[in-house]
Amino acid sequence: MSAESMEQRKMVRVGTRKSQLAMIQTNSVVASLKKLCHDVDFDIISMSTTGDKILDTALSKIGEKSLFTKELEKALDDGRVDFVVHSLKDLQSTLPPNMVIGAVLEREDPYDAVLMHPKHATKHLADLPENSVIGTSSVRRVAQLKRKYPHLKFESVRGNLNTRLRKLDEDEMYSALVLAAAGVKRMDWDSRISQTLLPDECLYAVGQGALAVEVRANDFDTLALVSKLNHEETLLRCVAERALLRELDAGCSTPVAVYTEIKGKELYMTGAVLSLDGSECLKETMQTTLSDTQPQQDTSSADLKHYVSVVAQTVSHQAMKAAEDLGIDMAKLLISKGAGDILSVARQQNAEGEKK
């Protein structure tokens, strides 16, 4: 390559967590961009986050927001990286004011998966003996599965996916783990999945299965670059889901669950709020019609519209607004039926758990 051509190439720095799964996800995003942008080089910069460092406490009891994103967002803010690749479910529904989600990639399987201890390899959760212990770090999963499988016990399990799988296989504590199917599949562990939990058993987390690219809001060049990765259906579903979470003022420490689907021009959403022990559950389903209006193509406007921090020049703004409104309306419906009280109790119980 000539010196002149090298000078013309742009270097983009990409932030990510250090875990194997995070690196797999980031490498897949960079590989997609390389296919679309032949004059750009990428430098991946990995770092540990608070959530990666605190491994002896359940996520819901740590009491800090942005557990897996704060350090990455600081690097983005001070210019050490140009964009960050996240699992969308790790991102707060309200981002720092100078940051936006510049791309939402096509969703992998959004459901939860059951990985059995080898001695239970052919079983499902319903087949496990009384008081079998299921490992999961999610209050959302525990609340729903306690309702469906009251004969089981649930305990927190922390660490990266490799660590959790090792704990399952080598320790005798857990009969099974429940993990996001997307992560399991990206690690190429499909063969370990004994059961996939469909919506009648366990609604998934907001944004689960989707990857997001976070960018400084005023970095229009990078926004234009990553916008090529947007997957419209995934983006619209996730805008609705994030709007629900934001309107409920909820996070990973509260059991909020969703299911979304687009059929034709209709976006359907099922949303649920549960008590931590699963004894209370509010669940509703709503839908909205998505507009066909052409998207705004301007990639350099300071007035670029965003919806629950998501920016997409290639997607109809009317459709994004309809998706956001659906999530807000779902939250208001759930609140009118008592969701606010359920979430308030859950927050109080988590706060008490932090003090112990």
Side-chain angles (χ1 to χ4, degrees):
M1 182 181 294
S2 69
E4 181 179 356
S5 62
M6 289 182 65
E7 289 177 3
Q8 293 174 348
R9 298 183 66 82
K10 180 179 180 180
M11 175 63 72
V12 173
R13 297 154 301 169
V14 184
T16 182
R17 291 166 61 194
K18 286 185 174 180
S19 74
Q20 182 182 355
L21 176 59
M23 292 300 296
I24 288 171
Q25 293 175 164
T26 301
N27 280 319
S28 72
V29 170
V30 168
S32 296
L33 283 172
K34 283 181 176 179
K35 292 178 182 177
L36 297 168
C37 312
H38 302 292
D39 60 343
V40 180
D41 290 321
F42 297 89
D43 180 22
I44 297 176
I45 301 170
S46 62
M47 59 194 76
S48 296
T49 65
T50 301
D52 296 314
K53 297 171 184 174
I54 304 176
L55 298 176
D56 58 352
T57 306
L59 293 176
S60 61
K61 295 181 179 178
I62 295 176
E64 185 173 342
K65 294 184 177 181
S66 305
L67 289 173
F68 295 106
T69 62
K70 186 168 67 173
E71 288 80 2
L72 292 163
E73 287 178 332
K74 187 176 186 305
L76 182 60
D77 185 48
D78 64 25
R80 280 178 286 152
V81 298
D82 299 300
F83 69 78
V84 178
V85 177
H86 299 282
S87 292
L88 182 55
K89 67 184 178 68
D90 291 338
L91 276 172
Q92 293 290 308
S93 56
T94 301
L95 299 185
N98 60 330
M99 295 177 194
V100 294
I101 296 170
V104 177
L105 284 74
E106 184 172 7
R107 199 171 212 164
E108 175 56 275
D109 185 340
Y111 300 115
D112 291 310
V114 179
L115 281 66
M116 288 288 176
H117 187 284
K119 67 184 178 185
H120 298 304
T122 61
K123 295 179 180 177
H124 285 188
L125 291 178
D127 306 322
L128 291 174
E130 188 88 11
N131 294 323
S132 294
V133 176
I134 311 303
T136 178
S137 57
S138 164
V139 295
R140 170 192 57 82
R141 293 177 189 134
V142 171
Q144 293 181 89
L145 294 177
K146 277 185 174 181
R147 296 173 65 84
K148 187 76 174 180
Y149 304 104
H151 69 294
L152 301 176
K153 290 186 175 181
F154 298 87
E155 297 290 345
S156 176
V157 57
R158 294 291 318 283
N160 60 41
L161 289 187
N162 303 78
T163 300
R164 281 182 267 180
L165 190 62
R166 186 169 63 250
K167 288 179 180 180
L168 172 67
D169 289 345
E170 297 179 3
D171 297 347
E172 290 300 317
M173 178 176 179
Y174 303 105
S175 295
L177 300 179
V178 183
L179 304 169
V184 175
K185 291 182 176 183
R186 287 172 182 142
M187 293 287 284
D188 202 22
W189 293 347
D190 305 54
S191 63
R192 288 301 305 265
I193 296 177
S194 300
Q195 179 181 1
T196 298
L197 299 175
L198 298 178
D200 62 327
E201 294 177 286
C202 192
L203 300 178
Y204 45 78
V206 166
Q208 185 161 309
L211 299 181
V213 179
E214 188 176 16
V215 184
R216 290 183 296 275
N218 62 355
D219 186 353
F220 302 116
D221 288 343
T222 302
L223 279 170
L225 173 71
V226 303
S227 68
K228 306 174 192 293
L229 300 174
N230 270 319
H231 184 257
E232 182 170 344
E233 178 177 322
T234 301
L235 183 146
L236 292 171
R237 290 169 60 192
C238 290
V239 164
E241 295 170 18
R242 286 174 55 80
L244 166 68
L245 197 67
R246 184 187 64 184
E247 191 71 15
L248 289 173
D249 191 24
C252 66
S253 64
T254 47
V256 175
V258 296
Y259 170 79
T260 55
E261 183 179 13
I262 293 178
K263 294 180 179 179
K265 298 183 186 303
E266 297 298 305
L267 170 58
Y268 296 85
M269 165 181 271
T270 298
V273 171
L274 301 97
S275 58
L276 290 179
D277 64 1
S279 62
E280 297 180 87
C281 177
L282 297 173
K283 184 187 294 187
E284 298 290 342
T285 298
M286 300 177 70
Q287 71 187 83
T288 192
T289 301
L290 300 172
S291 169
D292 264 345
T293 305
Q294 289 296 310
Q296 175 181 315
Q297 295 293 336
D298 183 7
T299 60
S300 61
S301 171
D303 297 322
L304 203 59
K305 293 181 180 179
H306 61 81
Y307 302 88
V308 275
S309 303
V310 178
V311 168
Q313 297 94 345
T314 57
V315 179
S316 161
H317 286 270
Q318 287 80 5
M320 292 177 71
K321 181 66 165 60
E324 183 182 56
D325 287 345
L326 177 63
I328 292 170
D329 290 344
M330 172 64 76
K332 289 179 177 177
L333 177 59
L334 290 169
I335 290 169
S336 74
K337 294 178 178 294
D341 293 336
I342 293 174
L343 291 173
S344 178
V345 171
R347 292 187 192 100
Q348 183 178 353
Q349 290 173 334
N350 282 324
E352 291 171 356
E354 291 170 32
K355 297 175 183 177
K356 293 180 180 180

